[in-house]
Amino acid sequence: MPAGTLLYAQSGGVTAVINATASAVLQAARARKVRVLAARNGILGALREDLIDASALSAAEVKGLAHTPGGAFGSCRLKLKSLADDRAKYERLLEVFRAHDVRWFLYNGGNDSADTALKVSQLAAEFGYPLTCVGVPKTIDNDLAVTDCCPGFGSAAKYTAVSVRECALDVAAMAETSTKVFVYEAMGRHAGWLAAAAGLAGEGKDDAPHIILFPERPFDEADFLARVDAVVKRVGWCVVVASEGIRTADGTFVADAGGGKDSFGHTQLGGVASHLAGRVKDALGHKVHWALPDYLQRSARHLASQTDLDQAMAVGRAAVECALAGQNAVMPVIVRDGDAPYRWHVDIAPLARIANHEKTMPKGFIRKDGYGITAAARRYLSPLVAGEAFPPFGRDGLPNYVTPVMTSVPRRLPAWRG
Amino acid sequence: MPAGTLLYAQSGGVTAVINATASAVLQAARARKVRVLAARNGILGALREDLIDASALSAAEVKGLAHTPGGAFGSCRLKLKSLADDRAKYERLLEVFRAHDVRWFLYNGGNDSADTALKVSQLAAEFGYPLTCVGVPKTIDNDLAVTDCCPGFGSAAKYTAVSVRECALDVAAMAETSTKVFVYEAMGRHAGWLAAAAGLAGEGKDDAPHIILFPERPFDEADFLARVDAVVKRVGWCVVVASEGIRTADGTFVADAGGGKDSFGHTQLGGVASHLAGRVKDALGHKVHWALPDYLQRSARHLASQTDLDQAMAVGRAAVECALAGQNAVMPVIVRDGDAPYRWHVDIAPLARIANHEKTMPKGFIRKDGYGITAAARRYLSPLVAGEAFPPFGRDGLPNYVTPVMTSVPRRLPAWRG
């Protein structure tokens, strides 16, 4: 057994397959006889010295994590600032690492986490503490630089495309006397990847979704409403997919246009779909419905993509191998070798090329009129949602998700006063 | 081949398995060599003489319908009034039936459709026109009388329970620094069956969903908020499932409390989840998210229950047999023969016992405190979501739903001026 401990932490919004990455990390570490601790609730657990003995998980629990959504060890949204601004926190992390002989730190998250892992590695070098920091990619937003795609995205994309295909059949059946316009709100504050994935639901000119709204394009209400009306006139009904992050030309988030006060003066929580539905109703008079899947889209492990699951596990395994090989301040990334047939492999990229970057949709993926995806986008997206990876279901008809027993590691340091 | 034609029509909100019923109807009719027409967009197509030659569907299309959500022939929300008030419409129906030699009428819907089918049969008898009318049960609301459960409900219930189990894992992972309260809005204007099904997602006292709000119980905001806060304090987070139809003690729909105007004077579409989320935020200060799956919950064929699919097909077959046997003004219903193991069979009930009745949750299914389900409810619900009936998926990762070619039947009557 190599000397030292590997610390694994989950960061930011969870995905349908981040636990599959955790499962792969634990399996790879077991194969190499490396002890693994997990930070409870992400970096917060590391700061608080709130650590879980992940090596104590049973083989069945480790295997079960691969088909369990959510973040089994807990995640958090704490973003560390620069080394100068948050120096005490970074130093505390090193103190905890030292106390538990952590020699390898795997941080499973997005841009911010890549940045944190990079800074921790820099401070460790400054202090002469032997630490290898490896970022492990994860985000349904698919907005990480360098990697061709992000584990977590493919499954959320599959959920989106399937859901839109299904509700479109519903709307089509009822449009004559009921809802004519349906608005589906997809996650994606800055990048329209998930909304784009909805485009896979249909192929023909009049297939749903008829209109996709991307944060990469300014939202023009009059043009949008005219298009909705034209689709209703031509097709009889219209399905709209809107990214939560769409903005008008002056930079205002459309979601913020709603969300005022109701008639009792209570906060009225809005959102893009609700707002657009209201505008369609007011301006066009069509009966409208909308859906806000919210967390359902990032936790729908029952509809995970096999490609996504494979990649989530591959980056977990690769991260352990990188770390044990001493490849510091890097992240395993997905490289695409071909579209049809789809081929990919894992490469290793420096965190410095990934930290704090954000990859939006390339211009060539958005149709010229701004309301749909191109053939190039289809070629990119399609393999990412391919393959089904259903979880095991119990006799009760529900997925057998696991809740591993978490054994806390005794603290060795005074409590953190962060 | 028996003389005469069988007319099949879909009515009201669609389900994940109403097309499976249609598939079974077509298969049974083929086996008996009976010609089948389908009304386009439900009863509206019958009034307009807008009929589809369903016997022209290919065997592959008929088979494919069994795994395709939506309403393949179109549905509608047109409710016929009493014979006296809507006599012209009923007479027109008979005129169309006569013109196409329709001897058997299968109407696939809920309470209203049962009522319409009953009235059509009464008028036919009055006119001496030989017609057998059979209702075929369908509704995700599960609110039909007599039948133990309604085809369409089991699949929507499974979607609800799985979705709530999945998003609960998401909330649990992030609650420390992010969302503490999550509100899921389930369909059910008058009956809380779907919200109740969410209760299957967890079993222990502190498992999600922590709070279920039923339309069968008056909503008390102060009590609700106190319970949410108590759960957050005890568990760290709270998942709420709310029926869209909950009302305060004075009968006001909670959904109508929201939905005012936004800061621009635009209609702000509300809903129960949005409203409750706003109240939690204002009154308790917890970070809150909510989901409104809307049509997704009734079209999620990818997550259909095998029990539900079996029953949807069984009532379709039974309806054809009833009709051909001349059993008039009846509906095939599901009879439960046992809970564990679950056993059921199809029986035939008079439409008069079903038309316009509405079955809400029995008192014994709602926990005494009003915020959860009882063991009896679990025994009832659990078998209905059992078994997976995944549709076939293509190599592109999406379900292979079918869109049959619909051949219109030439009109034989002057246009309807309804």
Side-chain angles (χ1 to χ4, degrees), chain A residues 47-127:
Chain A
L47 287 165
R48 290 171 175 168
E49 200 194 0
D50 190 355
L51 306 177
I52 293 157
D53 184 359
S55 291
L57 264 65
S58 73
E61 287 173 333
V62 171
K63 187 166 172 249
L65 282 180
H67 64 249
T68 299
F73 301 105
S75 186
C76 76
R77 286 216 177 275
L78 184 69
K79 177 168 162 57
L80 296 196
K81 295 176 201 152
S82 70
L83 278 172
D85 287 342
D86 256 344
R87 189 160 183 100
K89 287 201 183 80
Y90 288 102
E91 289 183 359
R92 165 70 182 185
L93 284 178
L94 281 193
E95 191 185 12
V96 171
F97 287 6
R98 202 187 292 269
H100 293 271
D101 200 19
V102 172
R103 301 301 178 94
W104 306 284
F105 174 47
L106 266 52
Y107 202 24
N108 201 172
N111 311 307
D112 290 352
S113 315
D115 180 63
T116 300
L118 178 60
K119 293 207 170 75
V120 171
S121 77
Q122 290 164 350
L123 196 74
E126 184 187 321
F127 279 44

Side-chain angles (χ1 to χ4, degrees), chain B residues 111-182:
Chain B
N111 312 305
D112 291 352
S113 316
D115 180 62
T116 300
L118 180 59
K119 294 207 170 75
V120 171
S121 77
Q122 290 164 350
L123 196 73
E126 186 188 320
F127 278 44
Y129 177 73
L131 181 73
T132 303
C133 292
V134 176
V136 196
K138 171 249 44 162
T139 171
I140 64 156
D141 293 334
N142 204 40
D143 60 355
L144 290 182
V146 185
T147 190
D148 180 68
C149 60
C150 302
F153 171 68
S155 295
K158 188 182 185 95
Y159 175 92
T160 305
V162 172
S163 296
V164 169
R165 177 172 286 188
E166 290 180 335
C167 65
L169 289 168
D170 189 317
V171 177
M174 305 286 301
E176 171 82 31
T177 56
S178 182
T179 297
K180 286 196 167 44
V181 180
F182 184 79

Side-chain angles (χ1 to χ4, degrees), chain A residues 8-10 14 18-19 21-23 25-26 36-43 45 50-55 57 61-62 65 69-76 108 404-407, chain B residues 169 172-174:
Chain A
Y8 169 79
Q10 301 181 323
V14 297
I18 185 173
N19 285 334
T21 298
S23 177
V25 164
L26 293 175
V36 180
L37 302 183
R40 193 189 306 272
N41 296 331
I43 202 74
D50 190 355
L51 306 177
I52 293 157
D53 184 359
S55 291
L57 264 65
E61 287 173 333
V62 171
L65 282 180
F73 301 105
S75 186
C76 76
N108 201 172
V405 176
M406 300 293 183
T407 312
Chain B
L169 289 168
M174 305 286 301

Side-chain angles (χ1 to χ4, degrees), chain A residues 166 176 179 267 282 295 401, chain B residues 48 166 179 267 282 295 401:
Chain A
E166 290 180 335
E176 171 81 32
T179 297
T267 297
D282 282 355
Y295 292 160
Y401 296 141
Chain B
R48 290 173 175 169
E166 290 180 335
T179 297
T267 298
D282 281 355
Y295 292 159
Y401 296 142

Side-chain angles (χ1 to χ4, degrees), chain A residues 62-262:
Chain A
V62 171
K63 187 166 172 249
L65 282 180
H67 64 249
T68 299
F73 301 105
S75 186
C76 76
R77 286 216 177 275
L78 184 69
K79 177 168 162 57
L80 296 196
K81 295 176 201 152
S82 70
L83 278 172
D85 287 342
D86 256 344
R87 189 160 183 100
K89 287 201 183 80
Y90 288 102
E91 289 183 359
R92 165 70 182 185
L93 284 178
L94 281 193
E95 191 185 12
V96 171
F97 287 6
R98 202 187 292 269
H100 293 271
D101 200 19
V102 172
R103 301 301 178 94
W104 306 284
F105 174 47
L106 266 52
Y107 202 24
N108 201 172
N111 311 307
D112 290 352
S113 315
D115 180 63
T116 300
L118 178 60
K119 293 207 170 75
V120 171
S121 77
Q122 290 164 350
L123 196 74
E126 184 187 321
F127 279 44
Y129 178 73
L131 182 73
T132 302
C133 292
V134 176
V136 196
K138 170 246 50 161
T139 171
I140 64 156
D141 293 334
N142 204 39
D143 60 355
L144 289 182
V146 185
T147 190
D148 180 68
C149 60
C150 302
F153 170 69
S155 295
K158 188 182 185 96
Y159 174 93
T160 305
V162 172
S163 297
V164 169
R165 176 171 286 189
E166 290 180 335
C167 64
L169 289 168
D170 189 317
V171 177
M174 305 287 298
E176 171 81 32
T177 58
S178 183
T179 297
K180 286 196 168 42
V181 180
F182 184 79
V183 187
Y184 177 103
E185 179 167 334
M187 282 183 163
R189 193 79 179 154
H190 304 294
W193 293 105
L194 276 180
L200 297 174
E203 292 194 2
K205 174 171 175 283
D206 288 339
D207 284 357
H210 306 97
I211 294 173
I212 303 178
L213 302 175
F214 302 97
E216 288 87 352
R217 290 286 178 277
F219 174 70
D220 177 331
E221 186 181 280
D223 190 55
F224 164 73
L225 290 171
R227 279 171 186 272
V228 169
D229 208 38
V231 172
V232 171
K233 284 197 170 73
R234 194 173 70 242
V235 182
W237 48 284
C238 179
V239 171
V240 176
V241 174
S243 274
E244 63 180 331
I246 56 168
R247 290 186 284 185
T248 49
D250 66 1
T252 309
F253 281 107
V254 173
D256 296 341
K261 298 283 179 183
D262 69 14

